[in-house]
Amino acid sequence: MPSMRAHVYRIAADGPDDVSGLDALFAGGVSAKNVVAVLGKTEGNGCVNDFTRGYATRSFEALFQKHGVEGVSLVMSGGTEGALSPHWTVFTREMVDAVAGRALAIGVARTPHLPPHHLGRREQVLLVADGVRKAMRDAGIDDPRDVHFVQIKCPLLTLHRITEAEAEGNSLATRDTLKSMGLSRGASALGVAVALGEVDAQEIADADICSRYELFSHCASSSAGVELTDHEIIVLGMSDRWSGPLEIDHTLMRDAIDATSVHETFRRLPQPSRLAAVLAKAEPDPSGKVGGKRHTMLDDSDISGTRHARAFVGGVLAGVFGITDLYVSGGAEHQGPAGGGPVAIIVEKED
Amino acid sequence: MPSMRAHVYRIAADGPDDVSGLDALFAGGVSAKNVVAVLGKTEGNGCVNDFTRGYATRSFEALFQKHGVEGVSLVMSGGTEGALSPHWTVFTREMVDAVAGRALAIGVARTPHLPPHHLGRREQVLLVADGVRKAMRDAGIDDPRDVHFVQIKCPLLTLHRITEAEAEGNSLATRDTLKSMGLSRGASALGVAVALGEVDAQEIADADICSRYELFSHCASSSAGVELTDHEIIVLGMSDRWSGPLEIDHTLMRDAIDATSVHETFRRLPQPSRLAAVLAKAEPDPSGKVGGKRHTMLDDSDISGTRHARAFVGGVLAGVFGITDLYVSGGAEHQGPAGGGPVAIIVEKED
Amino acid sequence: MPSMRAHVYRIAADGPDDVSGLDALFAGGVSAKNVVAVLGKTEGNGCVNDFTRGYATRSFEALFQKHGVEGVSLVMSGGTEGALSPHWTVFTREMVDAVAGRALAIGVARTPHLPPHHLGRREQVLLVADGVRKAMRDAGIDDPRDVHFVQIKCPLLTLHRITEAEAEGNSLATRDTLKSMGLSRGASALGVAVALGEVDAQEIADADICSRYELFSHCASSSAGVELTDHEIIVLGMSDRWSGPLEIDHTLMRDAIDATSVHETFRRLPQPSRLAAVLAKAEPDPSGKVGGKRHTMLDDSDISGTRHARAFVGGVLAGVFGITDLYVSGGAEHQGPAGGGPVAIIVEKED
Amino acid sequence: MPSMRAHVYRIAADGPDDVSGLDALFAGGVSAKNVVAVLGKTEGNGCVNDFTRGYATRSFEALFQKHGVEGVSLVMSGGTEGALSPHWTVFTREMVDAVAGRALAIGVARTPHLPPHHLGRREQVLLVADGVRKAMRDAGIDDPRDVHFVQIKCPLLTLHRITEAEAEGNSLATRDTLKSMGLSRGASALGVAVALGEVDAQEIADADICSRYELFSHCASSSAGVELTDHEIIVLGMSDRWSGPLEIDHTLMRDAIDATSVHETFRRLPQPSRLAAVLAKAEPDPSGKVGGKRHTMLDDSDISGTRHARAFVGGVLAGVFGITDLYVSGGAEHQGPAGGGPVAIIVEKED
């Protein structure tokens, strides 16, 4: 009896346009049409004017076009601060002739276009919630408790989009382009929380977004990018309809130095196993303190706070896992508690 | 029979000029004249135009002047990237009525003025080596194996100093101000290595400084600052002539993700005990890789590599120790192996 | 019959703490007690974590204390981007035995402490307006049309102040520290506009600050700094009760490339004369365009827009005046039209 | 009798991949096969990790491929600091049925691949000199005095290239990636100087590159980019074999505030005329001073000196020409005197 089976590949990138590693995988027999998603860490600043995300997206589009494949979810997160290493995490899925067991499941979805004046507002929350439910169905996951990571790529406002929207008579949630990234990430995360039943949709008003941080999802990871105006959604979880040796679990870092929670979850996963991927969110604690001590990430006008946070939490996680090609994405509004964030770990059981 | 006894205080700083925490200690009974050294982490960029170091130095000078004390070693290291917290580590020593046992010992020294054209050259190495020997004598440490950390504040070149030196007909090791910080740190570290017998002085030529990284000290930590033209030297180690519950040990991080070495050394220290201070060096691996994977710290023209390294290694260490007021200083040329660096841990035994 | 007489000195600064140039003036006979104000351009980033302003202020306080003088207005504006040169502009005034004629007049004032929750709101506008009127009286200027430049140093919010204010139950105009600088500058400028009769106080609501940019002053220049919680106000203008060869005039740059207005005003001033000082404001055009072409200052997450603007407008003005020790201050909210800003020129007539 | 005729188009860019403006020109009748070169100002940092140059290059390659055209010279210069506006300057040439007169002439050439260990050395100088001569022949310019601007895109060293080259046993001119950009620009400029007879090839040794700045070209403009390992060369000048209303002239800015030389050359050009393009180089004065006053561009560890210089000189030129879509490229080693740089002006005569 056939089942679905996922594969996860972590591939080094020599630059935002270096898709040669994946091309080599294809040459080695992996089928391009099985690729369902690529999560990339590119080496730009991860903020408004980070063109490495778009450049990478364009490069992958060209690669997939060459192989006759369309519609792969491409989620690029900018910022490889500290010793974090630019890389691609490639997810494939295929029908195999194996009895279904409990294994890693992957589903994707794409929302309709988000009008700029809906960004950072309740409309974005609901739009994303719908998309997450769709991606869960695509993954064959029924129970929200089986979802361990929801990656969303969401849009941001540029001055150009702001000007256009205002010319059409719309008022926006913010005119600050950097701040729009936070609002978009926050609203997207709340969309995940709504879809997973973590937060009641009725409870969320416009004003709560990026302010009532006690509302959050345990599994959401959202990144804003200039290169899209809708949402790419990828759901990762465990499903009884899939097969293979891959397993996923997740935890929450309570704050930026909470290595303990990560160690514990890592230890809970099957042994022996090979580490397949670590996916995490990081942000400067909005309280201005970590562990009771002042940090300076939010007072630094030279380096964006998200860059500081990725570098630092990248260090915490690299210390735990011993690798640097970690997917650490910045800006964790409503993604875990304020100053903390979700960490998903995927391992491949070895016999 | 009297002995020397050290105390270590870790004090939060609200800004580069916030010396109120130490002033409160004095008000609480600590004698200002017992202070032998202050190691500060200030929140500037830690590079050439970091004036927070000078501002802090000036603020402490005014405080000590108010208390009628002169000549305290003030070593300010800029850069509290990531969640690192600005703070002062204050070292005092005093004669006490206790039998000497093996305990933390502190000694200090100051070298003569370094002419700009000696910076980054053999002359600087030898000048510093003399200074380290003097500081060891001041600490009452005879055996170099009892030295666990040597902190040096060394000068750098500014355009102004370069122009002056060249006007006097001297040729300099570099005309690049940022690079001069590295050369000065490197030569100072080799000075420590020479003093501790780790490297033979005969073996070091001008050209080796910041190039033959296989020559290094296990205990050196040097920071360059615009605010001095000589060297401040602080030696920390264990001595049989001191008393009290403080112990120090050190290890080398082999690379930026080597949390294992740090965990092991931390576990070796007496238990139960209270963590008194962690002193470490960090640098972008000059090979361009950590653990076999590319990092982007040295190709980033927006953020200095030392800032990346402090943020990341700060994260690794915060994950191990669970605190953010760590003394992580950037630029570890000849301070441990290339890409790695020394970590000293001071604990106070509890009964 | 005696009259008041002003002097203006432009002094190079070798660093934020280099007050040796002014000390030399004192040694040369200028009386320290005649100094009424120092306007400094220091070499920090001019944003939230610019400690060069505080460092310079502290250094001048120490200098004046040495000379037994108190209460000098010290206004430090950070940011010497491009080829702008760090320098101090020192204003003195004294009673002289000369017939009063029309000449440069200087007055100063200081407002009461601004509670953090008044920052960026109508209360700040009114507080500043009162202060400006007081400074005009101090300058002996009755007619608002005789005022040519009003320099204000205003406070900003740090995370620390935000946390404290919120702990006291107050809600703030913003929680974004960088944005608080803009709001404080904007409210201060509107305070000038109210005092000079350019805008009716009744017309200004909280929501207008940093949004209704058609409300502005032609003469206001405000800089935010972490080192104060009240306002320093300096009024420069022409008065019939003063004497001496100094004259001041001002113009508005309509946008960042409006060199023409500046050339015209410069030509209108008496000839022959020596340029004594140029005082100007610059900001990234909030429309995202200059002269119909897109600029990228507001989409740049690596460099603050105010730094871009100072560098660029510094270039425009240096091209006109042929000097680089110009007082170009960033962030011109409500200081001239959106994207433009006031430029004041002081010359000393020669015979 | 037929002649060659050039056209120059200045096209706004909405992002590094926005080639829609040129595509619209093609739709409007301009023939893609006539395009000989595109000089772009893209909005990256203009330094080592500026991927906007490669992204733009890739985007233009795709556009030209769509139109069946190959081999267009694509020279992307990163950095639109201050109010500088991202844009493309497109040069076309075609055979027309008009009597040749003296008019703007354009020629291009490409050198062979430059081995990394030749970068910044005499070998690069000679390689570029050969390329410039070839481009002059392509332009139909015999007399070096008729050359007014030579644009060169040259390679740089990345850590990756350094590691590879060293693995092959080659020693490099520098291991510092940012510094390699300067050396490559400097050697390329000296190549122009050799080709134009401004400097004798015999006179140039490896050690002179980026040190003997009294050797320079009046017409050279070189930009380093990660996206090539050879050199793109574009020669602009006047030739008797061309026709049309375009004229070019050039001047040298002696330093960053030398607006006077630019005004004078602008006035010398035919009137009435329409400004077609301004092409200029800028750099932080290596003396640390402009007009006798200290600048801080070379001591700033937060912002690269080339970014400061582009913003500032961009302001000077925008003040003269009243536009912001100026091609101001950073790093002017051996391109004009130290601290200054060439400025070429192209106008279209109007009747």
Side-chain angles (χ1 to χ4, degrees), chain A residues 13-15 43 80-83 85-86 257 259 290 293-297 300 303 307-308 311-312 314-316 318-319 322 324-325, chain B residues 13-15 43 80-83 85-86 257 259 290 293-297 300 303 307-308 311-312 314-316 318-319 322 324-325:
Chain A
D14 236 27
E43 58 205 277
T80 56
E81 290 81 8
S85 191
I257 57 176
V290 173
K293 302 283 179 180
R294 183 170 72 102
H295 68 76
T296 59
M297 298 188 258
D300 190 342
I303 301 181
R307 305 202 74 179
H308 278 291
F312 187 84
V316 173
T324 59
D325 46 348
Chain B
D14 237 27
E43 57 206 277
T80 56
E81 291 81 7
S85 190
I257 56 176
V290 172
K293 304 282 178 182
R294 182 170 74 100
H295 68 75
T296 60
M297 297 187 258
D300 190 342
I303 301 179
R307 304 202 74 179
H308 279 290
F312 187 85
V316 172
T324 59
D325 45 350

Side-chain angles (χ1 to χ4, degrees), chain D residues 137-195:
Chain D
R137 285 192 298 273
D138 187 55
I141 299 177
D142 306 319
D143 187 340
R145 285 170 301 181
D146 283 337
V147 173
H148 289 287
F149 204 70
V150 182
Q151 174 62 46
I152 294 176
K153 188 79 189 190
C154 54
L156 55 83
L157 298 179
T158 58
L159 218 19
H160 186 74
R161 289 174 192 170
I162 292 168
T163 313
E164 275 194 351
E166 292 183 341
E168 290 165 12
N170 292 309
S171 118
L172 299 164
T174 183
R175 302 193 82 254
D176 181 317
T177 56
L178 193 57
K179 181 166 280 193
S180 79
M181 300 179 77
L183 285 171
S184 185
R185 289 188 300 250
S188 297
L190 288 173
V192 176
V194 165

Side-chain angles (χ1 to χ4, degrees), chain C residues 65-340:
Chain C
Q65 198 174 359
K66 198 180 78 176
H67 288 274
V69 173
E70 270 191 357
V72 176
S73 276
L74 301 171
V75 178
M76 299 299 151
S77 158
T80 55
E81 291 80 6
L84 289 174
S85 190
H87 71 284
W88 324 114
T89 306
V90 177
F91 295 90
T92 66
R93 64 181 183 187
E94 60 186 316
M95 191 68 76
V96 291
D97 228 2
V99 180
R102 197 165 168 72
L104 176 69
I106 304 169
V108 293
R110 193 140 193 170
T111 70
H113 164 81
L114 180 80
H117 62 288
H118 286 180
L119 186 145
R121 291 183 169 145
R122 204 177 136 75
E123 287 93 336
Q124 188 177 13
V125 175
L126 301 179
L127 191 76
V128 168
D130 272 350
V132 172
R133 286 184 206 107
K134 202 172 139 201
M136 282 175 64
R137 284 192 298 274
D138 187 53
I141 299 178
D142 306 318
D143 187 340
R145 285 170 301 181
D146 282 338
V147 172
H148 289 287
F149 203 71
V150 181
Q151 175 61 46
I152 295 176
K153 189 78 188 189
C154 53
L156 55 84
L157 299 178
T158 58
L159 218 20
H160 186 75
R161 290 174 192 170
I162 292 169
T163 313
E164 277 194 350
E166 292 183 342
E168 290 165 12
N170 293 310
S171 120
L172 299 164
T174 182
R175 302 192 81 254
D176 181 318
T177 54
L178 193 56
K179 180 166 281 194
S180 79
M181 299 178 78
L183 285 170
S184 184
R185 288 188 301 251
S188 297
L190 288 172
V192 176
V194 165
L196 300 186
E198 301 172 293
V199 173
D200 186 344
Q202 302 307 323
E203 213 188 323
I204 303 172
D206 281 2
D208 297 335
I209 297 166
C210 291
S211 86
R212 277 183 67 204
Y213 285 120
E214 65 273 21
L215 306 176
F216 62 82
S217 167
H218 291 67
C219 302
S221 162
S222 46
S223 297
V226 78
E227 65 278 12
L228 80 178
T229 62
D230 59 350
H231 302 77
E232 297 260 8
I233 300 175
I234 304 167
V235 162
L236 300 174
M238 295 296 287
S239 166
D240 293 336
R241 298 176 222 161
W242 291 59
S243 61
L246 290 166
E247 287 208 14
I248 185 169
D249 200 353
H250 81 280
T251 187
L252 273 186
M253 289 177 76
R254 287 185 322 273
D255 59 23
I257 57 175
D258 180 17
T260 309
S261 299
V262 183
H263 272 298
E264 282 170 3
T265 304
F266 192 25
R267 265 186 243 114
R268 260 200 330 259
L269 280 158
Q271 291 296 345
S273 64
R274 188 188 60 82
L275 189 60
V278 177
L279 311 167
K281 290 297 296 188
E283 71 171 358
D285 201 304
S287 74
K289 295 197 171 181
V290 173
K293 303 283 178 182
R294 181 169 75 99
H295 68 76
T296 59
M297 297 187 259
L298 294 170
D299 279 343
D300 190 341
S301 309
D302 295 313
I303 301 179
S304 157
T306 53
R307 304 202 73 180
H308 278 291
R310 274 190 299 267
F312 187 85
V313 174
V316 172
L317 295 175
V320 172
F321 294 106
I323 62 171
T324 60
D325 45 348
L326 303 156
Y327 182 87
V328 181
S329 167
E333 302 83 356
H334 302 291
Q335 301 151 62

Side-chain angles (χ1 to χ4, degrees), chain A residues 75-159:
Chain A
V75 178
M76 298 300 150
S77 159
T80 56
E81 290 81 8
L84 290 175
S85 191
H87 70 286
W88 323 115
T89 306
V90 178
F91 295 89
T92 67
R93 64 182 183 189
E94 62 187 313
M95 190 68 75
V96 292
D97 228 3
V99 180
R102 195 164 170 73
L104 175 69
I106 305 169
V108 292
R110 194 137 193 172
T111 70
H113 164 82
L114 180 80
H117 60 288
H118 287 179
L119 187 146
R121 291 183 169 145
R122 202 176 138 75
E123 287 94 336
Q124 188 178 13
V125 174
L126 301 180
L127 190 78
V128 168
D130 272 350
V132 172
R133 287 184 205 103
K134 202 172 138 200
M136 282 176 65
R137 286 191 297 274
D138 187 54
I141 299 178
D142 306 319
D143 187 341
R145 285 169 301 181
D146 283 338
V147 172
H148 290 287
F149 204 70
V150 182
Q151 174 62 46
I152 294 176
K153 188 79 189 191
C154 54
L156 56 83
L157 298 178
T158 58
L159 219 20

Side-chain angles (χ1 to χ4, degrees), chain B residues 284-306:
Chain B
D285 201 305
S287 74
K289 296 196 171 181
V290 172
K293 304 282 178 182
R294 182 170 74 100
H295 68 75
T296 60
M297 297 187 258
L298 294 171
D299 279 343
D300 190 342
S301 308
D302 294 314
I303 301 179
S304 157
T306 53

Side-chain angles (χ1 to χ4, degrees), chain D residues 17-30:
Chain D
D17 59 334
D18 176 22
V19 299
S20 63
L22 184 53
D23 209 13
L25 266 192
F26 294 160
V30 171

